[in-house]
Amino acid sequence: MSANSVVIVGGGLAGIGAALSCARLGIRSVLVSECDWLGGQVSSQAIPPDEHPWIEFAGCTHSYRTFRNNVRTFYTEHYPLTADARSARLLNPGGGNIGPLSHEPFVAEMVIEQMLAPWRSRGLIEIIRDARVVRADTTGDRVDSVTVELLDGTQREISGGYYIDATDLGDLIDAAGIEHVVGAESQSQTGEPHALPGDPDPTDQQAITWALALRLSPDTDNIIERPTSYDFWRSYQPDFWPGPLLGWEVSDYVTHEPRHRPLFVTAPGPTGIRYDLWHARRVLAAENMDGDWTSDNTIAAWPMMDYMRLPLVGGDPEHREAALDEAREFTRSFLYWMQTEAPRHDGGVGYPELRPHTEITGTADGLAKRPYIREGRRIAALFTVAEQHIGVAARNGFDSAEHFDDSVGIGAYRMDLHPSTSGRNTLDLDTYPFQIPLGSLIPVRVRNVLAAGKTMGTTHLTNGAYRVHPVEWSAGEASGAVAAFCLGAGVEPAELRAKPELIADLQSLLTTRLGIDLEWPDFGPLTPTHRFGYVPTTSS
């Protein structure tokens, strides 16, 4: 590759956004993906979108909205929808109550491939799949090349003018020795009201979730082989949890009071929504289909499935692999418990009719190809977004998030922190809709690397708001645009941020060429995202 190109490490939503913005601005990129499926949390990790209440008319980039529209079009063109579903103004294929667009992971993967296809045809995007970073060569404050290893053990060295870390764990940051933060900061470090009161804790890393796709096959026995570690997980109970994790009792995200969350409820709630686990992340509703469609498809990625025993960052590679292996076994144990021992909503125990849905995950066991990782290494950035910039309680006296003159995008979500590997329970904090500051994408020292998505300059707390689907895509798209702008203007990111006139030029490019909003439109008061049950808000 030439010096006038960009190397993007990470094939998730941030990497997709970065590659698309580079291509649209005429810059070639090579996208290195650890998985064969592109799209990360929305595809290989099997997590349908977590989005804010205004997503249908504001709060995402043009290309992310194109992705959402293309998903709906895929269903209308290829699925036997009922007349009511086909005529719905905003089709929700699964009718999941987490968000307004619940769709199957393999559909997301196909839609992303379609979006990348014309740029690959023109030679502006190259994709390297099933590859992991094994080395980064540096000279002073610059990265010279990245070496990746493929499934067959062969290695390939890749070089470019700029490098973007769009991975979940900060793999490029680690390989290149870039200054970063892991885990939870202390109040003395960040000034955040809800940061740790004592010392920082690098082991305080949010739980991961290895999702599972399920369907129902009535009157059949689909019980999997008993996992070897089942007895351990059957009795495993964190100190703060109201019962064993293999159970229907969970700790309420906000109050930490015990809460019963069964697989099925017998009747919908007052709003007509079924607040049970099956309908939470249902990605295909049988009621939306014509013909002999015998079962919904749903994604099991529920609170009691959070794996929180071992952190992924902070040990040797064997430690990380051990944690991933345990996480897979934990999900398999949860499935086995549901099939054999779980109290049924209609009496008795066990749901042997639960069948892992291998087709929509592209795996032999119905588990996602990759785990959903909520946080990893975060760069030590020129600017770090903290709780006092976006948190409702922390911004006492203000009715909006901090305004950033160097905004390169917008987003919205609560500071949603899952249980951590240090033994901390959940933390759930209201936020105002916020911006993505340019400074949060730029490392303090290294001159030709940018962060995107989970690697950007957030704290442990604000990562919980910036890690969700549309914000990860937006941050990646901004990083790709910054790299392209710097290559074209002959400036480095830190120099760009230091010059208001250059920031203005970048922001003009973002809005006019890429369709990226830099601030929230004025359509009235903005309230935080609802946690359970998506309640859409309209501009009227």
Side-chain angles (χ1 to χ4, degrees), residues 33 123 140 149 151 172 223 225 243 285 352 398 416 438 461 479 519:
S33 174
E149 184 175 272
L151 279 180
L172 175 58
I223 298 175
E225 182 180 351
F398 295 91
D416 170 17
L438 171 62
L461 296 179
S479 290
E519 57 185 69

Side-chain angles (χ1 to χ4, degrees), residues 462-481:
T462 56
N463 160 269
Y466 279 77
R467 67 175 168 79
V468 294
H469 301 64
V471 190
E472 182 182 350
W473 182 298
S474 297
E477 197 166 358
S479 290

Side-chain angles (χ1 to χ4, degrees), residues 423-438:
R424 175 194 48 75
N425 204 341
T426 56
L427 185 63
D428 190 87
L429 303 171
D430 291 351
T431 66
Y432 291 114
F434 47 75
Q435 296 170 302
I436 301 171
L438 171 62

Side-chain angles (χ1 to χ4, degrees), residues 106-134:
F106 79 143
V107 169
E109 194 272 338
M110 288 187 282
V111 167
I112 286 171
E113 292 285 1
Q114 291 173 341
M115 292 180 68
L116 296 175
W119 305 111
R120 294 177 62 193
S121 176
R122 291 176 59 180
L124 285 173
I125 295 177
E126 177 187 355
I127 299 171
I128 303 176
R129 303 172 196 265
D130 291 319
R132 63 183 185 91
V133 174
V134 293

